[in-house]
């Protein structure tokens, strides 16, 4: 990785989460060189990724580094290849103004006391490594990371076929996902 900054310090993932992976599998922060280690090949299991160049990957990576405290993209590496991905995106709640009698707001209510809500994204395990507990390990690592960062909850969106897996990870159905796409309609795999 050279002198490129890490997306986050892997030390934020508790040792018990790190040691829960099978021998030869390492969970760590996304690194700038992961493009060359098959990062997008692993993500193709989850969704369509298009043709992303290494320069585009590095540009987005640098943007995530600059947004300190927001992006926690973790990967699972095995034999020099990325075989698992998962991201925690931290939303920092702010406050809402409370106007009184039509006057400008003099008081504010905070949303969850200006808490942090984690959003789990991009959970993907390479097909040849599914069934080894890597997905469960990734979710547990991201949940532990969220706790260490002070998040009051994690949320995620998934299709109905993945609901039993996330239930096994401790998640429950708490609503309906709504989407409003701003691109031309596509099939389910290619639609973001």
């Amino acid at each position: 990785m050279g002198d490129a900054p890490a997306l986050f310090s892997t030390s934020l993932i508790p040792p018990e989460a790190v040691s829960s992976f099978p021998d030869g599998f390492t969970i760590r922060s996304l690194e700038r060189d992961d493009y060359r280690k098959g990062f997008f090949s692993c993500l193709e299991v989850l969704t369509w990724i298009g043709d992303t160049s290494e320069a585009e990957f590095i540009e987005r990576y640098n943007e995530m580094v600059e947004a300190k405290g927001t992006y926690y993209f973790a990967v699972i590496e095995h034999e020099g290849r990325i075989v698992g991905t998962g991201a925690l995106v931290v939303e920092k709640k702010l406050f809402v103004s409370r106007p009184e009698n039509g006057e400008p707001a003099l008081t504010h209510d905070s949303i969850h006391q200006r808490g942090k809500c984690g959003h789990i994204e991009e959970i993907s395990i390479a097909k040849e490594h599914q069934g080894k507990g890597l997905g469960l390990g990734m979710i547990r690592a991201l949940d532990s990371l969220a706790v260490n960062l002070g998040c009051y909850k994690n949320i995620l969106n998934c299709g109905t076929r993945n609901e039993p897996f996330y239930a096994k990870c401790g998640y429950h159905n708490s609503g309906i996902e709504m989407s409003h796409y701003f691109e031309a309609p596509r099939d389910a795999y290619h639609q973001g």
Side-chain angles (χ1 to χ4, degrees), residues 35 39-41 43-44 47-60 186 189-190:
Y35 179 90
F39 174 78
F40 283 114
S41 295
L43 270 177
E44 283 179 329
T47 190
W48 177 73
I49 55 145
D51 295 322
T52 304
S53 70
E54 185 173 9
E56 290 168 324
F57 171 84
I58 290 171
E59 179 181 9
R60 182 55 48 97
R186 303 179 191 192
Y189 178 74
H190 291 90

Side-chain angles (χ1 to χ4, degrees), residues 21-22 25-27 38-47 74-78 82-87 121-139 142 162 165-166 169:
F21 286 87
F25 292 87
T26 305
I27 187 168
F39 174 78
F40 283 114
S41 295
C42 183
L43 270 177
E44 283 179 329
V45 172
L46 175 66
T47 190
V75 296
I76 301 169
E77 186 173 352
H78 177 67
I82 302 304
V83 299
T85 67
E121 296 283 346
E122 321 305 2
I123 302 298
S124 183
I125 304 298
K127 283 198 183 294
E128 65 272 20
H129 294 290
Q130 292 178 3
K132 297 178 181 178
L134 300 179
L136 178 61
M138 176 63 79
I139 291 292
L142 294 174
N162 292 331
F165 167 74
Y166 290 111
C169 295

